[in-house]
Amino acid sequence: MRTDYSRSVRLGGLAAGVNETTLRERMEGSPVHLTADGCLPAVAETLEVLVADLRRWPVPLSLDPGHEPGRLDDALVRRLVETAAGIDPDRPLRIGAPPGEAPLRLHVGTEPTPDVAVAGAPDGHGARLRHAGHPFPGLNAPGTGLGAVLTAAMLAGEAFKVVAGLPEGKFQVTPVVDFCPVLPGEQPGTAVAPPPELERVLLGGGGAIGTGIALILDLLRVSGELAVVDREVFEKPNVTSYSTGTLAEAAALLPKVRLIAARLRRIAVTPFHGTVQDAIEAVDTGTLPWPRTVLGGLDSVSARHDLQRLHADLTLDGSTGGPVGTTVALHEALPTGPCLRCYYKADHTGKSAEQRLNELTGLPLARIARGQEPLTEQDLEGLDDQQRQLVRQFLGRPVCGLINSPELGGGTDDVFRPSAAFVAQQAACLVVGAWIARSTGLITGPVRRIEYDTRFGPQPDQMTDHWAPVPECACQKDAALIERVREFRRTRR
């Protein structure tokens, strides 16, 4: 099975304004070379995420382990090679000097050589990036797993601008970046509070953002209990857009909840393979604990509205989107408002995903409703020749998730924007940063909406605003009923 780069190439093509064939050829001719300071705190975590992010593109990728005293540990180098091979065994990570002409050079550390274009280092829960000619200040704190993921994702974002060849005006080069997702207005390293234990927390969505959240929780060495809800399985196109998962796991069609459970080595995970509505019913029958905190990584308005109906004390919703899929956002929501229905208005005029899939493929709605069952030759019966040709390429795959498949992109351009791992990871960093800030009391007061475009980078002085509840929203009109539901769920613990 070969690696499917369609989603990352599609996002790159949208951002660069070129067709996907041109973008892929451009990436294949854009080598990236990595160096690092082996003595930097959290260098291993940063490199593992960065290598994986870059290997999710069809770029030539190389790594120089360096020399003493800052040489990378041999065991780490082997892990990096294995990480790259798990994503694409046909494009190995080259160890040593880069081949060919001068590539884009990235460095993890605070003392890059003059030929490095961009360097980055985790500082506490945050990240610091410097372009060539701009020195680093002293770091305030050792890097954490959150800082490592953010640093890697932002370095990958800088590489994306170059290897995708973004045109002038479609991105911004910021020579100095200092950002912390826990305290967005403060310098990195100021917030060093360790994350608390997970208690009555639910992760809604095991996709690009959900796997990013799981990656961060694992690298932060968080413990406790977590319920994970998702109805889909991990497939080949997910390998290059999610933060965890290999080609082998995609071939096994592993449920996404199981993929995340395997990654969270210190957390007792309750995998719930179903929809959010199914999870709500399980909560009300007492078979799934009622969460007091919800971390969201869903990709539709209706699913977010369902997530709000869990009526948790706090919901932290992460999202990606914007004109080309590079914008990230955090929405903090309360059962008393603003809730996710205040942020995301329902579109009652549009067609459901099931209706659109029915129109695109001819598959009956009753068959689409059995979303977990793989498509078989029998499902081709009753379709016309064009529909049969389209659906045949999906044989063996579950129906759920097909509406977001790149192969159906011609009919879904208005509703589906592919994400890239480095984008989703920055959304995940906002979610986990908010969870740390709220659960430890570092931030109190009104709920926030935070948003920025990863092509331009975070702007701490202008990317945060505070929302009030929408008066006509259900969280206001049905406040008494919502409180009764919450009280009922509290008694079932």
Side-chain angles (χ1 to χ4, degrees):
M1 185 165 68
R2 299 181 67 87
T3 301
D4 182 348
Y5 288 102
S6 58
R7 293 190 177 182
S8 56
V9 169
R10 186 179 182 197
L11 179 137
L14 287 170
V18 298
N19 63 54
E20 293 168 31
T21 300
T22 299
L23 193 282
R24 180 163 184 143
E25 292 174 351
R26 185 178 293 173
M27 284 188 160
E28 289 175 341
S30 302
V32 180
H33 183 62
L34 304 178
T35 55
D37 176 2
C39 299
L40 180 77
V43 67
E45 294 90 337
T46 307
L47 275 175
E48 288 190 51
V49 178
L50 180 58
V51 165
D53 283 354
L54 297 175
R55 183 64 293 137
R56 293 182 176 105
W57 307 334
V59 298
L61 185 60
S62 58
L63 168 75
D64 185 351
H67 306 281
E68 298 297 345
R71 179 181 172 82
L72 298 177
D73 179 80
D74 289 343
L76 170 59
V77 173
R78 287 194 296 271
R79 289 203 308 274
L80 297 176
V81 170
E82 292 169 0
T83 295
I87 297 170
D88 188 348
D90 298 325
R91 298 176 187 271
L93 171 66
R94 178 188 175 96
I95 302 301
E101 298 185 3
L104 172 67
R105 297 174 184 263
L106 305 177
H107 181 76
V108 177
T110 59
E111 297 183 1
T113 55
D115 57 354
V116 167
V118 191
D123 192 349
H125 292 316
R128 295 185 185 273
L129 265 64
R130 296 294 186 273
H131 282 249
H134 296 268
F136 281 84
L139 301 180
N140 290 322
T144 69
L146 175 55
V149 173
L150 181 62
T151 300
M154 296 183 83
L155 280 172
E158 295 302 301
F160 174 75
K161 299 171 185 178
V162 177
V163 302
L166 299 191
E168 186 176 353
K170 298 296 185 180
F171 71 99
Q172 177 176 306
V173 173
T174 305
V176 174
V177 177
D178 297 306
F179 180 60
C180 176
V182 178
L183 296 175
E186 303 291 337
Q187 284 289 305
T190 303
V192 293
E197 188 173 272
L198 292 166
E199 183 178 0
R200 301 184 78 84
V201 179
L202 179 142
L203 172 60
I209 296 174
T211 55
I213 291 172
L215 172 67
I216 297 167
L217 293 177
D218 181 53
L219 295 181
L220 280 171
R221 296 174 174 80
V222 172
S223 60
E225 300 178 352
L226 178 70
V228 182
V229 178
D230 197 290
R231 69 173 183 172
E232 297 180 355
V233 298
F234 184 70
E235 300 178 279
K236 187 169 69 169
N238 302 140
V239 175
T240 55
S241 56
Y242 288 14
S243 290
T244 61
T246 64
L247 272 180
E249 288 165 321
L253 293 176
L254 192 69
K256 294 177 183 179
V257 293
R258 297 290 179 185
L259 181 76
I260 287 178
R263 177 75 203 203
L264 295 173
R265 295 161 288 187
R266 301 170 187 84
I267 297 172
V269 175
T270 300
F272 189 92
H273 192 200
T275 66
V276 177
Q277 175 59 38
D278 294 334
I280 292 172
E281 294 172 5
V283 166
D284 287 338
T285 58
T287 57
L288 186 69
W290 178 48
R292 307 303 295 268
T293 301
V294 169
L295 311 178
L298 299 167
D299 58 4
S300 74
V301 171
S302 61
R304 287 183 169 96
H305 287 185
D306 283 346
L307 201 66
Q308 184 62 54
R309 290 173 48 239
L310 283 163
H311 301 312
D313 295 344
L314 175 65
T315 299
L316 302 171
D317 166 74
S319 68
T320 62
V324 298
T326 55
T327 299
V328 298
L330 162 76
H331 300 87
E332 297 181 333
L334 302 174
T336 55
C339 72
L340 292 184
R341 288 167 294 195
C342 296
Y343 289 115
Y344 297 98
K345 303 298 184 185
D347 181 6
H348 298 294
T349 63
K351 297 176 181 178
S352 70
E354 290 78 8
Q355 290 171 320
R356 288 185 280 113
L357 190 58
N358 166 257
E359 293 179 359
L360 285 167
T361 65
L363 291 169
L365 289 172
R367 176 62 184 91
I368 292 171
R370 305 197 313 273
Q372 297 303 321
E373 298 179 15
L375 289 165
T376 67
E377 290 282 349
Q378 185 177 355
D379 292 309
L380 301 179
E381 299 176 4
L383 304 183
D384 63 34
D385 291 342
Q386 184 176 0
Q387 292 168 338
R388 191 176 297 110
Q389 182 179 0
L390 176 63
V391 175
R392 186 178 296 279
Q393 63 187 311
F394 299 116
L395 293 180
R397 290 171 58 177
V399 176
C400 62
L402 291 191
I403 194 63
N404 287 341
S405 174
E407 294 93 332
L408 296 178
T412 61
D413 281 342
D414 292 336
V415 295
F416 175 58
R417 295 295 186 191
S419 185
F422 79 91
V423 177
Q425 285 162 4
Q426 292 186 55
C429 285
L430 292 178
V431 171
V432 177
W435 170 65
I436 293 174
R438 292 290 182 181
S439 59
T440 60
L442 284 170
I443 288 181
T444 58
V447 297
R448 304 165 298 166
R449 177 179 180 272
I450 301 175
E451 180 180 285
Y452 68 91
D453 191 323
T454 58
R455 294 173 300 163
F456 297 87
Q459 308 290 330
D461 59 338
Q462 54 187 269
M463 67 184 194
T464 301
D465 56 18
H466 300 283
W467 278 53
V470 175
E472 62 271 20
C473 183
C475 67
Q476 303 304 297
K477 296 191 297 182
D478 301 331
L481 175 60
I482 289 171
E483 185 49 43
R484 287 200 297 272
V485 172
R486 282 168 48 80
E487 182 58 32
F488 168 76
R489 290 172 180 170
R490 271 193 289 266
T491 64
R492 300 193 70 85
R493 57 189 306 179

